[in-house]
Amino acid sequence: MIHAMADVDLASPTSVSDDIGPQERARLLGRYGRRFAASEAIFQEGTPAREAFLLQEGRVRLLKRVAMADRSLAVVKPGELFGEGALLEGAMYGSTAVALTDGVVLALDRATFRSLLEHHTQVAARAIDQLVRRLRDAEDQIEIMMLRGVQSKVTSALLKLAGRISGPAEVTISPVELSTRVGLDVEAVKRTVLRLRERQYIRITGERIEIPDVESLRRLYTLLGTKDELAGQEDNVTKG
């Protein structure tokens, strides 16, 4: 259960609320600001979507129930919108939001959120950008999950995050976020990342992954794809 709160600074560097004036910030916090604790469920999949949320502090994981198991959809960071289904009349939440850390949200009902978007065009533009980015990430996630091998999935995700064809690149992502992108458990992702580090395809510093040569990692991805395809053909022959 998330709780009402006060005296929290809304001015996060990445927050959609950067474009809201100080008086409006104070008003929104006083009326709609809420704290939550790590492991709390902010909302449950399939329940009526009555509020949309703007995350101000902490991290939140979005989960969806698939075949009797919870699958990670995304990890929400400060400044990002979630629970946006509340903008639609009669909608249900399409996922469950669980807090990864203690934090703060703005919990806005449909009318308040729509009013906020109408009166603050920059906020509306940032919210739309985030939703488009989330859609693109979902498409990438589907593509990655269709790959056969664990190494192929992790390598593909890193290449997409690098966003370039060649040269060095740097990616900031936690093991939890990377596991969400590839649809694997965190331990499997950690083992694969460590293997890539041992083979000197990447370097790791905290939650920062350095790729010294993107083209080299891309060649590995191609080789892994060939290996996965051959393994699939062997499986088909065995089954036949």
Side-chain angles (χ1 to χ4, degrees), residues 165-180:
I165 297 174
S166 61
E170 188 175 288
V171 173
T172 301
I173 189 168
S174 70
V176 170
E177 291 170 301
L178 188 54
S179 70
T180 295

Side-chain angles (χ1 to χ4, degrees), residues 43 74 96 105 136-137 153 168 170 173 185 192 197 201 221:
F43 56 75
T96 295
V105 290
R136 183 194 62 198
D137 288 345
K153 291 181 178 184
E170 188 175 288
I173 189 168
D185 66 82
T192 303
R197 184 182 67 176
Y201 284 104
Y221 174 65

